[in-house]
Amino acid sequence: DTGVSQDPRHKITKRGQNVTFRCDPISEHNRLYWYRQTLGQGPEFLTYFQNEAQLEKSRLLSDRFSAERPKGSFSTLEIQRTEQGDSAMYLCASSHWGTGDRGYTFGSGTRLTVV
Amino acid sequence: AQKITQTQPGMFVQEKEAVTLDCTYDTSDQSYGLFWYKQPSSGEMIFLIYQGSYDEQNATEGRYSLNFQKARKSANLVISASQLGDSAMYFCAMRAAIQGAQKLVFGQGTRLTINP
């Protein structure tokens, strides 16, 4: 068990470019969450997967954002036509339905800077 | 809708002193859960302590304890004998139900600085 891994740790991109982030959850965890954290704020929920099914999406997730978890293992979060307002830390978390309320494990995040 | 309020943007404490970080919450749910997480500069959210709404005893985890006052809707974190390594952002969070699982709703956080 190596924890939740996120790649890359840092990404600087020009406005208008597309970016993709990857999250590898703990292997036996069937639930995966994406959160966004802007400077000075707490994380905000973006979306949630149970296995490969995306079951919930926040209104924060505009049409430029898409998330996938094709085989119920790793997940990707893509942002198209990035804007400066997309600059934030993107956190991934995973859990297993049987692990109860201690079960959320977070990764170290991907920090996105749009210039 | 659930809401978490942390009113202390920053706290400064001398090493070895105890510190209380405030958290108030708002929910119409009868069953809910409250969490505290620590976020060091590395960015990872580290679970500290959990309190269920039906738990009669205040939760404790080593040097961390949660002062749960249900009628006042508060869930303050107490860190005893603070250490330099406790310097970090601290977030209070509440569990909120979504389809098939539950998401976390976070407060804005408190930056704790431990002085030697």
Side-chain angles (χ1 to χ4, degrees):
Chain A
D1 179 0
T2 57
V4 177
S5 298
Q6 292 190 245
D7 184 69
R9 290 294 310 277
H10 303 275
K11 177 72 177 178
I12 300 174
T13 191
K14 291 184 178 179
R15 191 174 53 188
Q17 297 292 305
N18 299 344
V19 294
T20 300
F21 310 140
R22 177 180 170 122
C23 172
D24 286 273
I26 292 173
S27 57
E28 62 267 27
H29 284 185
N30 61 344
R31 294 173 172 174
L32 187 147
Y33 310 79
W34 284 99
Y35 288 79
R36 181 173 70 185
Q37 184 179 20
T38 53
L39 204 59
Q41 303 293 319
E44 296 174 290
F45 171 78
L46 290 179
T47 190
Y48 151 68
F49 290 85
Q50 179 154 298
N51 299 313
E52 65 275 10
Q54 188 174 19
L55 297 184
E56 187 84 13
K57 288 197 294 186
S58 163
R59 285 173 292 178
L60 293 174
L61 216 62
S62 75
D63 292 343
R64 297 184 296 105
F65 288 71
S66 63
E68 294 182 342
R69 194 183 183 197
K71 297 184 179 179
S73 56
F74 73 92
S75 175
T76 58
L77 178 68
E78 181 184 16
I79 309 174
Q80 296 181 325
R81 303 181 304 281
T82 52
E83 302 172 357
Q84 287 189 321
D86 298 331
S87 295
M89 174 81 88
Y90 290 84
L91 290 162
C92 176
S94 68
S95 71
H96 188 278
W97 68 270
T99 53
D101 293 298
R102 293 168 171 265
Y104 302 94
T105 302
F106 282 84
S108 295
T110 293
R111 184 172 297 282
L112 173 67
T113 303
V114 182
V115 297
Chain B
Q2 289 82 359
K3 184 178 179 181
I4 296 286
T5 302
Q6 294 180 254
T7 57
Q8 304 157 308
M11 290 278 288
F12 296 84
V13 175
Q14 287 297 118
E15 190 180 7
K16 300 181 184 176
E17 289 184 351
V19 56
T20 298
L21 305 182
D22 294 341
C23 172
T24 58
Y25 61 91
D26 190 20
T27 182
S28 56
D29 293 344
Q30 295 300 308
S31 174
Y32 51 89
L34 296 155
F35 300 75
W36 277 92
Y37 281 86
K38 173 183 179 181
Q39 188 178 41
S41 55
S42 60
E44 184 180 1
M45 299 290 284
I46 301 168
F47 168 80
L48 295 178
I49 198 166
Y50 168 78
Q51 179 84 42
S53 58
Y54 291 118
D55 294 341
E56 293 187 354
Q57 304 259 353
N58 285 341
T60 60
E61 293 279 353
R63 293 186 300 112
Y64 305 107
S65 60
L66 198 151
N67 184 0
F68 182 47
Q69 298 188 39
K70 195 170 182 178
R72 298 178 63 181
K73 294 190 173 180
S74 74
N76 298 338
L77 176 71
V78 180
I79 306 174
S80 63
S82 57
Q83 303 171 356
L84 295 178
D86 294 333
S87 293
M89 284 292 291
Y90 288 79
F91 291 95
C92 181
M94 167 177 281
R95 184 183 63 209
I98 56 175
Q99 182 180 352
Q102 289 157 332
K103 66 179 181 183
L104 295 176
V105 175
F106 288 86
Q108 290 189 302
T110 296
R111 181 171 296 281
L112 177 63
T113 302
I114 308 298
N115 296 315

